[in-house]
Amino acid sequence: DAGVIQSPRHEVTEMGQEVTLRCKPISGHNSLFWYRQTMMRGLELLIYFNNNVPIDDSGMPEDRFSAKMPNASFSTLKIQPSEPRDSAVYFCASSTSGANTEAFFGQGTRLTVV
Amino acid sequence: RKEVEQDPGPFNVPEGATVAFNCTYSNSASQSFFWYRQDCRKEPKLLMSVYSSGNEDGRFTAQLNRASQYISLLIRDSKLSDSATYLCVVLGGSYIPTFGRGTSLIVHP
């Protein structure tokens, strides 16, 4: 298996532009997580999907952020409009449901908003 | 209070040293516990699960104290390649992994 695949790996955009991050989870995994990592705040959960349904989006910062999972093999995280404070590494992770299950991470998208 | 707390370090130790990290969690209903390792500019990867009875994997030993709500990781005979950030991870009833901010370890010659 290729693991969790994220694209793009790097994104530099101007403030106010729309940014879309993409994720393909591991086949057979029914849980998908979007995290944001910064030096100041560490790894923060943005949203959690189970069986393609958003279960917990309490970590989504504000209305500028939205996430979708139209099917079991694809998810997007969109920021519109982007702001410099959104600069971070965004990770997607997937797992099977249940206790003692490992979350597998993609390589992340390093976003810089200038 | 953050759900999962760790000393950020850095822990700067010579090769061959023994080093221990601790982590505390706030949710007493938490069910599963892990240590992940994250290398610079890479994604986090599972190092080991933490079981109630304690468990060992080579030079690494993990322990859980449910009464005090803390988890520990002991690394014996440190290697240069152990230099990384070690993340404490807790799964609550919803099975969402909650990460600590990580403890940085630097092993020097």
Side-chain angles (χ1 to χ4, degrees):
Chain A
D1 198 318
V4 176
I5 300 173
Q6 289 187 246
S7 65
R9 292 288 308 279
H10 302 274
E11 177 81 33
V12 180
T13 191
E14 291 185 346
M15 183 173 63
Q17 295 298 306
E18 178 180 295
V19 176
T20 300
L21 310 181
R22 297 173 176 78
C23 175
K24 175 178 167 51
I26 292 172
S27 177
H29 284 188
N30 58 350
S31 293
L32 184 139
F33 311 90
W34 281 100
Y35 288 91
R36 177 173 67 178
Q37 187 173 40
T38 61
M39 288 291 291
M40 291 296 295
R41 302 175 68 88
L43 262 169
E44 300 174 286
L45 179 72
L46 298 176
I47 189 167
Y48 159 50
F49 291 89
N50 186 261
N51 293 321
N52 312 337
V53 176
I55 302 300
D56 184 346
D57 66 354
S58 58
M60 295 287 265
E62 49 200 88
D63 291 347
R64 297 185 298 108
F65 285 67
S66 62
K68 294 182 180 179
M69 192 164 186
N71 57 62
S73 59
F74 185 64
S75 177
T76 60
L77 177 68
K78 185 177 294 186
I79 308 172
Q80 165 65 19
S82 58
E83 296 182 3
R85 61 190 168 123
D86 301 330
S87 298
V89 181
Y90 291 80
F91 286 106
C92 175
S94 71
S95 73
T96 55
S97 295
N100 292 316
T101 58
E102 176 184 356
F104 292 82
F105 281 74
Q107 292 181 300
T109 296
R110 186 171 296 273
L111 174 65
T112 303
V113 183
V114 297
Chain B
R1 179 184 172 189
K2 283 186 66 68
E3 290 186 56
V4 181
E5 295 204 56
Q6 296 181 249
D7 179 346
F11 285 64
N12 200 322
V13 303
E15 274 186 289
T18 295
V19 61
F21 307 138
N22 289 328
C23 164
T24 58
Y25 60 96
S26 60
N27 184 355
S28 59
S30 298
Q31 299 190 7
S32 305
F33 310 88
F34 307 87
W35 284 100
Y36 277 64
R37 169 186 169 136
Q38 185 173 24
D39 292 296
C40 186
R41 302 180 77 86
K42 298 286 189 181
E43 72 275 21
K45 292 183 179 178
L46 179 68
L47 175 66
M48 60 194 302
S49 302
V50 186
Y51 302 122
S52 296
S53 55
N55 49 298
E56 189 173 303
D57 182 2
R59 299 181 293 108
F60 298 83
T61 300
Q63 293 194 311
L64 167 64
N65 185 320
R66 284 190 183 270
S68 301
Q69 294 181 209
Y70 82 77
I71 308 148
S72 65
L73 177 68
L74 183 78
I75 304 175
R76 291 181 298 277
D77 188 22
S78 300
K79 311 291 184 190
L80 295 176
S81 57
D82 293 334
S83 298
T85 297
Y86 291 84
L87 300 163
C88 176
V89 184
V90 174
L91 258 64
S94 56
Y95 304 126
I96 297 174
T98 300
F99 285 77
R101 288 190 57 188
T103 299
S104 176
L105 171 65
I106 301 169
V107 182
H108 60 81

